[in-house]
Amino acid sequence: MTSGRRWVQVWRAAAFLLAALATGIATLLALPLLCHPRLARSWANWHRARAGRLLGAPLAPRPALRTTGRRAWADPATPRDLLWLPVNVLTGTVFGLFTLLCVGNLVPAAVATPLWWAFAPEDRPRLFIDVPVTGWTTALALGPLQILVLAALAYLALPPIARAHARICLVVLSHSTAEQLADRVAVLTRTRADVLDAHGAELRRIERDLHDGTQARLVAIAMRLAVARRALSDHPRNEQFLEDLLRDAHEGTEEAMSELREVIRTVYPPILADRGLTGALTAVTARCGVPTRLDIGNVDKVPAAVEAVVYFAVAEALTNVAKHSRATTAGVTVSRTADRLSVAITDNGTGGADDRRGTGLAGIRRRVLALDGTVDVDSPVGGPTTITMELPCGS
């Protein structure tokens, strides 16, 4: 990772932790009000969303509470929403004050120290918390030293601290086993419906392609052959006319076969049937506009549906890398553990990949979720980007 990208992460982490400090203080001041289950749920959802964005894994919010009284208190998620309140006060305040110490003391060191002479003696800036600036020797020696120390501290510590705070938030506000099962059923129900809609649309597209393209060409070929047959019986010596008809029929046959191959390729890539998953991914990575390394182990026999999803997902992800990421290298890693197939696509581009921006990630996620798989996108602004997929591939 370049230093420029690292500094982008440092400033994102600093903004996240300073906001955590503000929310921790706000939680403490408004604690009696936030203890209401409905307000606690909204507050918890907002923090889960922030934590998910920082970790590059946007999370769907829990459903807002529509009930009041005992039903609201009896909701399975309410205890965790309420537990987050004191945890937020503690972690937000501690981590936020550390960030304020780093960032806040950079300002007097960088701005006020060179102007120490313009302040009244009692108002002059202090370095390393309690060293007053009383002359140029102190200003020129300790000022840059404090900047370097605090900058190094922020560079090394703030990103991992911000990620730790985000993970604490997600652990405290994680779903129970029953909620996870209900969420999984809801996701599968939604993705199955999406797949059925997509399947219907795909069938209609194939029918259109075959009807308007291939079938029309075959009809034209049949008509030309019928005319040629009739011309042969009526005018046996009309060789030029017969040659033209047969040439047109031959060209039309090649075009129809070409169109038919394109239609078949969108249903199930022939390269998967011919060369298997390893050969298909080798071809995809070789065609990518960015130098791409493929690392694939022994994955044994994989169901055809999983092979197709992995093939299309890798092809779409590498297309995005070539078009949008400004990356210079990319990598695809495929491995299998028991009945789970893991795929990771990485690049050293500018990051910032988002499902909502129409970069193909939504389609990848929809394909994978339809097979009860999981997708994780880690793409902070400044990069790098890692897309991790896991799919069941048991027999």
Side-chain angles (χ1 to χ4, degrees), residues 121-263:
E122 64 273 10
D123 297 328
R124 284 174 181 168
R126 294 176 176 269
L127 298 175
F128 292 101
I129 301 176
D130 199 33
V131 178
V133 179
T134 57
W136 284 111
T137 301
T138 306
L140 295 178
L142 294 184
L145 181 60
Q146 176 163 306
I147 293 173
L148 288 175
V149 170
L150 293 176
L153 192 61
Y155 188 88
L156 296 174
L158 293 189
I161 289 176
R163 288 193 295 269
H165 184 275
R167 291 193 181 100
I168 291 171
C169 173
L170 296 185
V171 168
V172 172
L173 297 175
S174 63
H175 294 289
S176 65
T177 303
E179 288 177 304
Q180 290 176 359
L181 181 59
D183 287 347
R184 198 70 189 144
V185 170
V187 168
L188 289 175
T189 301
R190 185 176 66 253
T191 54
R192 291 295 190 275
D194 290 342
V195 166
L196 287 175
D197 291 342
H199 180 64
E202 189 69 6
L203 288 178
R204 289 191 294 272
R205 182 193 65 78
I206 293 171
E207 186 275 333
R208 267 195 320 271
D209 289 348
L210 292 176
H211 180 275
D212 299 339
T214 308
Q215 178 178 284
R217 291 188 182 279
L218 292 175
V219 168
I221 293 167
M223 291 176 63
R224 287 190 179 95
L225 291 175
V227 171
R229 182 180 179 184
R230 184 175 300 175
L232 183 61
S233 61
D234 294 344
H235 307 281
R237 297 183 179 179
N238 195 348
E239 296 179 358
Q240 184 61 44
F241 179 64
L242 290 176
E243 183 181 347
D244 292 342
L245 284 175
L246 292 175
R247 185 183 64 252
D248 291 343
H250 179 257
E251 291 175 354
T253 302
E254 289 186 340
E255 291 173 357
M257 290 299 297
S258 206
E259 289 182 358
L260 191 56
R261 280 193 294 269
E262 287 297 323
V263 172

Side-chain angles (χ1 to χ4, degrees), residues 292-310:
T292 304
R293 186 194 74 259
L294 174 64
D295 181 9
I296 181 167
N298 182 16
V299 296
D300 296 326
K301 186 177 180 180
V302 177
V306 175
E307 281 188 340
V309 166
V310 171

Side-chain angles (χ1 to χ4, degrees), residues 74-93:
D75 187 274
T78 296
R80 287 187 296 282
D81 294 338
L82 296 176
L83 176 61
W84 172 243
L85 298 178
V87 173
N88 181 39
V89 171
L90 178 62
T91 58
T93 303

Side-chain angles (χ1 to χ4, degrees), residues 7-28:
W7 279 114
V8 170
Q9 292 187 2
V10 170
W11 291 117
R12 285 185 68 219
F16 179 87
L17 292 171
L18 290 175
L21 173 62
T23 60
I25 295 173
T27 300
L28 181 62

